[in-house]
Amino acid sequence: MAMLLHACCGPCAMYPLELLTGKGESLDLFWYNPNIHPQFEWDRRLANLGLAADHYKIRLIKDDDHCEQEYWESKTYLKEYETRCDMCYDIRMDAVARYASENGYDSFCTTLLVSPYQQHEKIAKIAQDKASKYNVDFEYIDFRPGFRQGQDMARQIGLYRQKFCGCIFSLEESKFRDKIYRSFE
Ligand code: SF4
């Protein structure tokens, strides 16, 4: 059974990787996160996911060339989705389900399910819909009990741990906004 595990960043990947590799699950990591702003942050999160992948000796597949501008300029979320997060989850779950189906994986999952700050039930529902659309299994796993453990493990191996969700709106809303902007300089 091979799983394709969508990952939003290194720290969120740590606990799911610990759990799944501990069970002997065959899996690859999958990067597709065009929501992340700006390019510097996108590069930084991808690089740190690479460190997490190396730590567990897991292959990392990148299927995104930072198309954030195109992503937001489409503004389809204003017409087709109730909220920006609905669109953000939808396009990422669509990408991982499609890639898993087209490349012979048995199932897919996402590290977004580790975070208590994400809309867990909504992500699971969207992922299940995409599984049906692409005829591949969505393996639902509630990783949230291991969130703190994963963050501690990320700190131990020196991963960058971001202080905003990812898009420009979440950056602007962050109480760490000014500090984050300084980190881009
Ligand atoms: S807040 Fe997070 S989930 Fe919502 S649109 Fe921004 S990056 Fe995506």
Side-chain angles (χ1 to χ4, degrees):
M1 288 280 286
M3 175 197 283
L4 188 63
L5 180 64
H6 167 264
C8 55
C9 63
C12 285
M14 290 300 287
Y15 177 73
L17 287 173
E18 179 76 11
L19 183 75
L20 294 170
T21 58
K23 288 180 177 173
E25 182 114 29
S26 171
L27 65 94
D28 290 333
L29 276 169
F30 182 74
W31 171 264
Y32 182 84
N33 299 291
N35 52 310
I36 295 171
H37 175 87
Q39 176 84 49
F40 182 91
E41 181 71 14
W42 187 93
D43 289 339
R44 176 157 72 172
R45 293 194 193 188
L46 175 57
N48 278 268
L49 179 59
L51 295 175
D54 290 347
H55 184 77
Y56 286 97
K57 299 183 172 48
I58 296 290
R59 179 176 171 230
L60 171 59
I61 297 162
K62 172 175 157 288
D63 191 35
D64 173 14
D65 286 311
H66 197 247
C67 48
E68 181 204 1
Q69 191 174 348
E70 172 187 326
Y71 166 75
W72 289 116
E73 278 179 357
S74 71
K75 296 231 185 333
T76 52
Y77 74 98
L78 292 175
K79 300 178 204 136
E80 298 175 22
Y81 301 90
E82 285 184 16
T83 70
R84 70 183 194 229
C85 299
D86 289 354
M87 171 181 166
C88 189
Y89 297 143
D90 191 281
I91 67 152
R92 289 190 282 171
M93 292 305 96
D94 195 87
V96 61
R98 176 188 49 77
Y99 192 97
S101 176
E102 291 176 356
N103 292 276
Y105 291 89
D106 299 304
S107 64
F108 72 93
C109 191
T110 175
T111 64
L112 289 168
L113 295 173
V114 78
S115 172
Y117 305 111
Q118 297 289 346
Q119 298 175 56
H120 189 93
E121 285 74 21
K122 182 173 279 186
I123 294 164
K125 164 78 170 61
I126 291 170
Q128 189 55 60
D129 289 347
K130 299 301 180 184
S132 301
K133 177 180 175 184
Y134 291 105
N135 196 27
V136 63
D137 286 342
F138 164 56
E139 187 169 339
Y140 170 74
I141 304 169
D142 186 355
F143 294 119
R144 289 175 295 184
F147 177 71
R148 287 289 157 215
Q149 182 185 338
Q151 294 293 312
D152 288 345
M153 289 160 55
R155 190 181 303 111
Q156 281 163 16
I157 66 165
L159 294 189
Y160 158 67
R161 289 173 299 126
Q162 64 274 1
K163 296 199 181 317
F164 69 111
C165 190
C167 67
I168 189 169
F169 303 109
S170 60
L171 196 169
E172 288 294 327
E173 291 162 1
S174 171
K175 65 181 177 184
F176 301 105
R177 176 188 178 281
D178 294 345
K179 191 175 173 191
I180 296 166
Y181 273 111
R182 279 198 300 277
S183 78
F184 298 152
E185 292 166 0

